[in-house]
Amino acid sequence: MNHILIIVGVLVLALTIAAGLIWVERRLLSLWQDRLGPNRVGPLGLGQVLADMIKLFFKEDWIPPFADKPVFVLAPGILVLTILLTFAIIPFGPHFYVFNSNIGILFFLGNSSLGVYSIVLGGWASNNKYSMIGAMRASAQMLTYEVFMGLSLMGVVMMADSFNLNTIVEAQKGGWFIIPQFIGFVVFFIAGVAETHRLPFDIPEAEGELVAGYHSEYSGMKFGMFFVGEYLGITLISALIATLFFGGWLGPSFLPPFVWLMIKTFFFIGIFILLRASLPRPRYDQLMTFGWKVLLPLALLNLLITGAILIFLK
Amino acid sequence: MFSILQTIWLTFLHLFHKAETVQYPEEKPYLAPRYRGRIVLTRDSDMNERCVACNLCAAACPVDCISLQATEDESGRRYAEFFRINFSRCIFCGFCEEACPTYAIQLIPDTEMGEYDRQNLVYEKEHLLISGQGKYHNYNFYKQAGVDMGVKGKGEGEMEEKPIDVKSLMP
């Protein structure tokens, strides 16, 4: 019974944060651009979330006649499903988790790889040149960035001696992994931005060149799924960064562990939005070059040095 | 690399800047006196219509949104029988104001003329005519020069010389 409550709680929490991020992002972006943002609907403009949701639900959900219908319908669901599944492994507190998996990080990496299918299938089923280009870019970008996203986490895994996220959090009682694993953190963060295809790495949907990339043809709640999936992805990557490098729910005891995790998560969500506010989009080849020629060697080097030091200390 | 971090930091500092937003319905932006907004027809200081229905505004209008018909009163003074501006066409270029020889047609800093029905954007003379002089005070076309319209005698205008008696030799 308690377990079901936690499952429902995590689901509701993730979806609420994802919906709330519509408002958070618009308000924060506007602050950084010297504007005010949506502040009319309800207190502080919070009703904007509700208004946007109602709008999305009541929009015409149109499937283009040239689309591959079953795949077209399936694709947005895969994205949300894979990301929501990954929320299961995040420990929100000492005994507040859905799934205490001993292969937690592998589960996350596997699910994030499956998430690519959503975009590739969505772009393919749209039967549209821009969507296809967006999907191709997305798959290449994801393949590139997933390689060292995994590698950058291996330093953490070696230090905690476990793939289990609960154990990793416990292992940070002596000090957060951000200090010994700073390079790992930087590489994982950049890979995380690319993984959620947020600006500056939103090349799959680059609206200046590709209309809206892989979701050009989507409307109504199917587009809403991609939309929510993106915000869920931001929340997930932020929560994972907090868990893996910043001690997760660890913190001084005047606040409950859950609140500590939320504070850290929202800090990184803020950074995600700050990146969007400040950085321009790189060219596609620059993105790939940066990935293969800078971040991959950096991740491997980090792995090598961490391993050497750990063996030396043993 | 350093410049990227600097960019992010500078953007972050904008958190502490004042927002440029003017919260419109509560807080109105300042519009300059010569702002080109709604078009009005003004009167001179004697509260007579300035418009002499010369049609120059209608000729100058690039979108042909002005239409009027000239007529005369019993003393022979020209005025517009009807004067109609279709604001759904008007582009607020101000050419009509520049063309007007009598300062009758003027653009004023008012932009709040939204309507639900497009037909309501067609303003007739009674909507356009204001009981004031607009931007140019104490100007009366008939007092400057031109024909005697009961406002001034011949040669008694403000900028007008006395008429010369061409049959006299006296300087």
Side-chain angles (χ1 to χ4, degrees):
Chain A
M1 188 60 212
N2 198 19
H3 200 74
I4 293 170
L5 270 180
I6 289 177
I7 292 173
V8 174
V10 169
L11 191 68
V12 169
L13 181 78
L15 288 172
T16 313
I17 291 178
L21 279 184
I22 300 171
W23 177 81
V24 170
E25 169 155 45
R26 289 181 64 185
R27 281 314 291 262
L28 275 179
L29 259 184
S30 63
L31 277 177
W32 281 316
Q33 294 169 350
D34 291 350
R35 297 183 285 120
L36 285 176
N39 62 350
R40 290 301 162 109
V41 198
L44 290 170
L46 268 169
Q48 192 70 41
V49 176
L50 206 66
D52 276 355
M53 267 162 39
I54 293 171
K55 181 199 75 176
L56 268 180
F57 272 113
F58 284 93
K59 275 209 166 175
E60 186 187 3
D61 202 349
W62 191 67
I63 298 172
F66 45 80
D68 186 349
K69 203 174 165 192
V71 185
F72 189 83
V73 174
L74 196 66
I78 298 175
L79 185 71
V80 177
L81 189 75
T82 52
I83 293 170
L84 278 178
L85 271 176
T86 320
F87 270 100
I89 55 153
I90 291 177
F92 292 91
H95 302 288
F96 183 11
Y97 44 78
V98 177
F99 179 32
N100 188 11
S101 168
N102 58 349
I103 51 157
I105 288 180
L106 286 180
F107 186 73
F108 155 65
L109 290 172
N111 265 330
S112 71
S113 306
L114 279 176
V116 186
Y117 278 102
S118 158
I119 290 162
V120 175
L121 291 178
W124 174 261
S126 293
N127 212 350
N128 167 320
K129 292 184 193 71
Y130 289 129
S131 300
M132 195 58 220
I133 294 171
M136 292 311 295
R137 287 183 178 190
S139 55
Q141 175 178 332
M142 299 276 184
L143 280 175
T144 309
Y145 278 73
E146 224 138 63
V147 172
F148 50 82
M149 181 181 233
L151 282 175
S152 66
L153 290 182
M154 288 311 117
V156 172
V157 171
M158 282 196 285
M159 289 192 69
D161 213 8
S162 169
F163 277 108
N164 188 328
L165 281 158
N166 293 295
T167 320
I168 288 173
V169 173
E170 296 282 351
Q172 294 180 71
K173 279 206 165 121
W176 292 352
F177 282 159
I178 173 73
I179 298 157
Q181 285 296 317
F182 185 72
I183 298 172
F185 160 69
V186 171
V187 174
F188 181 74
F189 186 73
I190 295 173
V193 177
E195 180 71 27
T196 50
H197 39 87
R198 286 281 302 175
L199 273 116
F201 293 143
D202 71 332
I203 286 169
E205 47 191 299
E207 68 268 15
E209 357 174 336
L210 293 184
V211 190
Y214 58 89
H215 59 57
S216 298
E217 297 289 350
Y218 281 89
S219 59
M221 208 44 217
K222 291 200 202 65
F223 166 75
M225 291 292 236
F226 278 124
F227 197 55
V228 165
E230 181 173 324
Y231 285 121
L232 278 174
I234 296 169
T235 318
L236 177 69
I237 297 289
S238 302
L240 275 171
I241 290 170
T243 308
L244 293 167
F245 296 98
F246 287 84
W249 43 263
L250 293 173
S253 58
F254 59 84
L255 284 176
F258 170 70
V259 177
W260 277 113
L261 182 72
M262 282 297 115
I263 290 172
K264 291 166 186 173
T265 306
F266 272 97
F267 176 76
F268 285 105
I269 290 173
I271 302 251
F272 264 88
I273 296 166
L274 180 58
L275 284 179
R276 171 171 177 185
S278 48
L279 294 182
R281 187 186 301 129
R283 228 167 45 224
Y284 186 58
D285 60 313
Q286 289 171 333
L287 179 87
M288 298 306 269
T289 313
F290 183 62
W292 288 115
K293 289 190 180 167
V294 179
L295 290 178
L296 180 65
L298 212 61
L300 284 171
L301 203 67
N302 178 47
L303 197 66
L304 194 72
I305 293 169
T306 312
I309 291 174
L310 280 178
I311 288 171
F312 179 74
L313 288 180
K314 235 171 229 172
Chain B
M1 182 63 210
F2 175 72
S3 81
I4 289 176
L5 291 177
Q6 196 186 24
T7 310
I8 296 171
W9 174 244
L10 285 177
T11 312
F12 177 74
L13 288 182
H14 273 268
L15 198 61
F16 308 107
H17 287 206
K18 197 177 164 293
E20 302 281 349
T21 312
V22 178
Q23 303 224 44
Y24 169 61
E26 293 93 40
E27 197 186 322
K28 304 245 155 101
Y30 169 73
L31 297 179
R34 297 205 291 180
Y35 191 91
R36 299 198 306 262
R38 186 159 59 88
I39 297 173
V40 294
L41 287 174
T42 56
R43 295 170 186 271
D44 59 28
S45 41
D46 303 329
M47 289 298 129
N48 294 316
E49 288 173 27
R50 273 178 176 156
C51 179
V52 295
C54 64
N55 267 304
L56 281 174
C57 49
C61 184
V63 290
D64 285 346
C65 71
I66 303 175
S67 81
L68 67 150
Q69 172 68 55
T71 187
E72 287 180 4
D73 64 5
E74 53 278 7
S75 67
R77 177 171 170 146
R78 281 168 64 94
Y79 68 98
E81 189 181 5
F82 67 83
F83 197 106
R84 188 176 296 141
I85 297 182
N86 183 354
F87 278 107
S88 63
R89 277 193 172 194
C90 181
I91 58 172
F92 301 97
C93 62
F95 283 8
C96 47
E97 183 176 12
E98 287 176 26
C100 186
T102 64
Y103 288 148
I105 192 164
Q106 291 179 15
L107 276 75
I108 58 168
D110 171 29
T111 57
E112 297 175 342
M113 44 198 306
E115 294 282 355
Y116 285 104
D117 189 357
R118 193 174 286 258
Q119 201 57 42
N120 293 341
L121 281 167
V122 178
Y123 281 43
E124 294 292 342
K125 191 176 171 185
E126 65 260 35
H127 308 127
L128 294 165
L129 202 59
I130 61 167
S131 52
Q133 304 185 56
K135 291 183 276 191
Y136 305 99
H137 288 270
N138 299 320
Y139 177 83
N140 187 335
F141 175 72
Y142 290 103
K143 276 187 182 165
Q144 303 290 320
V147 291
D148 181 2
M149 208 48 67
V151 180
K152 64 160 183 65
K154 188 175 183 186
E156 287 169 6
E158 280 167 14
M159 311 282 284
E160 201 178 6
E161 301 270 308
K162 285 281 174 198
I164 296 165
D165 184 359
V166 290
K167 288 172 182 162
S168 163
L169 283 172
M170 295 301 283

